Amino acid sequence: MQTQPIDFHPPAEEAAPILLPVTTTLFADRADRFASLASGHALADWLNFLGALSRAQHDALKALPALPLPDATALAQARQHGMPPLDLGKRPAAWRDSLRQIARSAQPLAPETIQADLQRLIEADDAELDRLADALMQGNIAPGDALRIPFVAAALQVVFTDLASRFDASQLVKFEQHNVCPCCGSPAVASVVRLGAAINNLRYLHCSVCNTEWNVPRAVCTSCGTDKDVAQQEIDGKQGAARAETCDSCKSYLKIVYQEKDPRVDPVADDLASLALDLLVDEAGYERAGPNLFLIHAPEAV
Ligand SMILES: [Zn+2]
Ligand SMILES: [Zn+2]
């Protein structure tokens, strides 16, 4: 394990505080990234399957009907109460169609071990699907539900990414707590240091549900906000563009990926292709600060 000093470059000009997801490319690019990370990887089969799942998300998003956004009154109320404009408890009904479509697309490519779970999802009634979504949102997942949860998460990502993409970013405000999405209130999956005009070398946290990104200064802990006890860990350069940013103040960590190392990095895919890094920092006593929804298990099911 190597500990890297943090190389901080202040921004040269005003940068966008919030980047909304671009639905025409987001899930398709993620699918390509999973496929490229799978090549020669010890977990190639799993990463390739997640690539197929991301491709199914792309197709499900294209098939969505027009979903209603919160109106101006609801937006003003949310802002007044310091709440995000999207409420994950109010899922558009179309999310269930997205889930059934994703499950049907994934089934021919899925390993034998989850075939029965996918069939149960395809045949489930609305109440059962809502029960699973509630369990995911409340972090209360029964062992018997665990294998179906990544597909439930995939469908929720589709509808909330579509909704987030249609906001006006200038109407959104970041929260004081770094690790909270300004659009849907979920924690970030990872952060990404971006290249490009006006955002060069800036760090953005990436929402685990709606794929919105928001700028947070580099070299601060995204969980507790300290700038004192933050360090970066990597495994002798073998985990590609991902490092783990650890904080000795609150003992948490989150991955950080660098476009400078590879412009195609994706916070969700690169996070899952670097699980060895999670094991390393977990053994060192750090707890992960935000979930990857493709990696949720009930504790008993692991
Ligand atoms: Zn979000
Ligand atoms: Zn901290």
Side-chain angles (χ1 to χ4, degrees):
M1 182 162 94
Q2 295 178 343
T3 299
Q4 300 279 332
I6 288 175
D7 184 18
F8 178 63
H9 304 278
E13 53 184 300
E14 191 75 20
I18 294 172
L19 303 174
L20 294 173
V22 178
T23 53
T24 46
T25 52
L26 184 121
F27 290 114
D29 287 349
R30 183 166 296 161
D32 291 345
R33 182 62 176 163
F34 270 121
S36 127
L37 289 166
S39 174
H41 198 289
L43 300 173
D45 288 350
W46 180 58
L47 294 173
N48 273 322
F49 178 66
L50 293 177
L53 183 55
S54 302
R55 180 69 57 184
Q57 287 180 290
H58 175 76
D59 294 338
L61 194 147
K62 277 198 299 188
L64 281 176
L67 304 178
L69 277 180
D71 61 21
T73 312
L75 283 179
Q77 274 178 350
R79 186 183 289 215
Q80 192 184 352
H81 293 102
M83 301 291 287
L86 288 181
D87 180 350
L88 295 183
K90 292 182 184 158
R91 297 178 289 270
W95 89 273
R96 302 187 206 100
D97 297 326
S98 290
L99 175 52
R100 293 180 181 117
Q101 181 179 341
I102 288 168
R104 276 195 298 270
S105 303
Q107 203 175 26
L109 308 158
E112 191 59 38
T113 47
I114 56 171
Q115 286 292 337
D117 290 280
L118 284 169
Q119 192 59 35
R120 283 172 75 190
L121 281 175
I122 291 165
E123 293 171 1
D125 63 18
D126 289 354
E128 170 67 357
L129 297 184
D130 281 317
R131 184 189 67 76
L132 290 168
D134 289 340
L136 169 60
M137 290 302 154
Q138 291 156 12
N140 182 22
I141 299 162
D145 294 338
L147 291 176
R148 284 174 288 164
I149 288 296
F151 302 96
V152 172
L156 294 175
Q157 286 174 342
V158 165
V159 290
F160 284 107
T161 298
D162 179 73
L163 288 169
S165 75
R166 292 189 289 116
F167 276 109
D168 173 354
S170 69
Q171 299 299 305
L172 301 174
V173 281
K174 291 195 289 180
F175 292 107
E176 211 163 290
Q177 168 75 31
H178 287 318
N179 192 21
V180 176
C181 172
C183 212
C184 78
S186 299
V189 57
S191 64
V192 53
V193 177
R194 293 218 165 270
L195 296 179
I199 55 170
N200 209 24
N201 270 318
L202 291 183
R203 181 253 286 270
Y204 286 83
L205 281 172
H206 189 101
C207 179
S208 54
V209 176
C210 79
N211 288 292
T212 292
E213 294 193 351
W214 59 103
N215 177 232
V216 170
R218 289 173 68 173
V220 301
C221 171
T222 57
S223 255
C224 74
T226 184
D227 59 359
K228 300 283 189 296
D229 300 310
V230 183
Q232 291 193 358
Q233 326 284 344
E234 64 180 336
I235 304 179
D236 298 332
K238 283 193 186 133
Q239 293 295 308
R243 294 177 183 168
E245 190 172 72
T246 54
C247 172
D248 278 326
S249 189
C250 68
K251 282 289 179 188
S252 76
Y253 79 95
L254 205 62
K255 302 272 185 64
I256 181 165
V257 299
Y258 289 83
Q259 277 199 317
E260 177 185 81
K261 293 202 169 183
D262 188 329
R264 300 165 304 159
V265 288
D266 175 84
V268 171
D270 283 72
D271 180 38
L272 294 175
S274 57
L275 288 185
L277 199 45
D278 293 84
L279 295 178
L280 185 86
V281 291
D282 181 67
E283 276 171 19
Y286 299 98
E287 190 165 337
R288 197 176 154 115
N292 191 314
L293 300 189
F294 287 168
L295 196 65
I296 286 185
H297 299 282
E300 297 85 342
V302 175

